Amino acid sequence: QVQLVESGGGLVQPGGSLRLSCVASGSIISINAMSWYRQAPGKERELVGGIISGGSTNYADSVKGRFTISRDNAKNTVYLQMNSLKPEKTAVYYCHADLNSQSEDDGTNYYGMYYWGKGTLVTVSS
């Protein structure tokens, strides 16, 4: 009933920029936090950064100063602006949400549920 859909991935040259979006849809009451993760080929998924309902953000040390996470609460959308992309950081980027929702079947409220998007591929190559 709740879906996260990422978009904006693609091919970008080293040093270039890209902006990813993630839209949360469904019977959402409110969103506690949204985060971005990435998984490079052959490696484990790692946290890129996140934003909580109050607007505070946190980032992995490897992306601080280059990546920016922002959020449009009215659209249940989180963005990841990536600048100065490095070739070794080709990866699938995943959106994650910690949110509160209501069942469309019986109206039950669920708090603090975790959801993942299916990911969007970012290829950094010349």
Side-chain angles (χ1 to χ4, degrees), residues 6-124:
E6 303 97 334
S7 62
L11 175 64
V12 61
Q13 291 188 344
S17 298
L18 208 58
R19 187 194 195 206
L20 305 183
S21 300
C22 172
V23 180
S25 63
S27 301
I28 298 170
I29 299 171
S30 59
I31 298 177
N32 302 317
M34 296 186 79
S35 302
W36 288 97
Y37 287 75
R38 65 186 176 190
Q39 187 167 18
K43 296 190 176 182
E44 294 186 354
R45 191 172 299 188
E46 62 176 0
L47 175 68
V48 174
I51 185 167
I52 64 174
S53 59
S56 297
T57 55
N58 67 283
Y59 300 94
D61 288 343
S62 59
V63 306
K64 282 181 182 177
R66 298 187 299 115
F67 288 14
T68 302
I69 295 174
S70 60
R71 181 170 159 178
D72 185 333
N73 291 331
K75 296 181 179 180
N76 286 341
T77 300
V78 65
Y79 304 97
L80 176 64
Q81 176 66 44
M82 304 184 291
N83 299 326
S84 303
L85 283 162
K86 302 177 181 179
E88 66 271 19
K89 290 307 178 185
T90 290
V92 177
Y93 283 73
Y94 296 92
C95 179
H96 176 272
D98 170 358
L99 56 81
N100 309 314
S101 64
Q102 185 177 65
S103 169
E104 295 179 357
D105 295 330
D106 60 10
T108 301
N109 293 338
Y110 295 91
Y111 298 97
M113 302 298 290
Y114 291 171
Y115 295 89
W116 288 95
K118 293 183 178 180
T120 184
L121 177 63
V122 174
T123 302
V124 185

